[in-house]
């Protein structure tokens, strides 16, 4: 059966690695981002990857991508914005940009893909609010709360929903491995928390 995955934020970081891994596993991957050059690098030598320039804050643009891709069987939503500035010093315009990208962008992607999955009784949705890197933000907390609300309303209808929280120092590869393993967990286990692996003290001492 043809399997299609939608990966947002696919021009770099977690989204790029997720798109490449899925393409290597014979998925048809629709990779979206606002960065056309970055998308081209992600799709290099991946004939089953299809890139689309798309701003997830625009619901019509998201629906247009889905109209071209057809039914989606897995979503990896890694599109997110972040800021290194202290919370109290962030200008309102930057706060609005982060919230529009990280929260409303996620809502647009979910609303465009989840109903079809629910109708078919199958699918997988991974929300990755920490994709730009820690520390966790208020936007990430909003995504987590939205994931809980989705499960409360639609859990048990055949769609796997995961909200992935990456701790400081967790590599993108480690996050993707944790996402794959989470598929074997109970369906109601919505939140996946990824911590960086640490070598035991004895091994650290031996390595010095």
């Amino acid at each position: 059966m043809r399997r299609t995955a939608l990966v947002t934020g696919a021009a770099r970081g977690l989204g790029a690695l997720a798109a490449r891994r899925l393409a290597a596993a014979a998925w048809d991957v629709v990779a979206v981002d606002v960065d056309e050059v970055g998308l081209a690098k992600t799709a290099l030598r991946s004939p089953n990857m299809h890139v689309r320039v798309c701003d997830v804050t625009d619901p019509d643009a998201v629906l247009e991508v889905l109209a071209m891709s057809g039914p989606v069987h897995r979503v990896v939503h890694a599109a997110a914005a972040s800021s290194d500035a202290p919370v109290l010093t962030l200008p309102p315009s930057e706060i609005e940009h982060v919230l529009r990208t990280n929260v409303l962008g996620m809502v647009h992607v979910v609303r465009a893909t989840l109903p079809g999955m629910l109708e078919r009784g199958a699918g997988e949705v991974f929300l990755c609010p920490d994709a730009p890197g820690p520390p966790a933000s208020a936007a990430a907390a909003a995504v987590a709360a939205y994931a809980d609300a989705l499960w409360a309303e639609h859990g048990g209808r055949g769609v796997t929903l995961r909200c992935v929280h990456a701790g400081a120092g967790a590599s993108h590869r480690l996050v993707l491995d944790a996402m794959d393993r989470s598929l074997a967990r109970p369906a109601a286990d919505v939140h996946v928390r990824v911590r960086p692996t640490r070598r035991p003290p004895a091994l650290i001492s031996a390595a010095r």
Side-chain angles (χ1 to χ4, degrees), residues 6 8 56 62 75 77 104-114:
L6 173 70
T8 69
V56 296
V62 175
V75 172
H77 179 59
L104 288 180
M106 174 271 303
V107 171
H108 298 330
V109 170
V110 169
R111 292 182 68 171
T113 56
L114 183 58

Side-chain angles (χ1 to χ4, degrees), residues 106-134:
M106 174 271 303
V107 171
H108 298 330
V109 170
V110 169
R111 292 182 68 171
T113 56
L114 183 58
M117 292 182 179
L118 292 171
E119 185 176 339
R120 295 188 300 274
E124 299 158 359
V125 177
F126 290 93
L127 306 178
C128 307
D130 298 320

Side-chain angles (χ1 to χ4, degrees), residues 50-140:
H50 316 282
V51 299
R52 300 284 185 268
V53 176
C54 174
D55 183 351
V56 296
T57 67
D58 181 350
D60 291 333
V62 175
L63 289 173
E64 185 176 337
V65 168
L66 268 293
M68 290 185 290
S69 70
V72 170
H73 304 88
R74 178 181 291 189
V75 172
V76 178
H77 179 59
S82 65
S83 175
D84 295 329
V87 174
L88 287 178
T89 66
L90 278 172
S93 60
E94 191 165 345
I95 294 173
E96 182 179 359
H97 171 65
V98 171
L99 291 175
R100 284 180 60 82
T101 303
N102 297 18
V103 181
L104 288 180
M106 174 271 303
V107 171
H108 298 330
V109 170
V110 169
R111 292 182 68 171
T113 56
L114 183 58
M117 292 182 179
L118 292 171
E119 185 176 339
R120 295 188 300 274
E124 299 158 359
V125 177
F126 290 93
L127 306 178
C128 307
D130 298 320
S137 65

Side-chain angles (χ1 to χ4, degrees), residues 14 41 89 134 146 163:
L14 179 65
K41 293 178 180 177
T89 66
Y146 190 78
C163 185

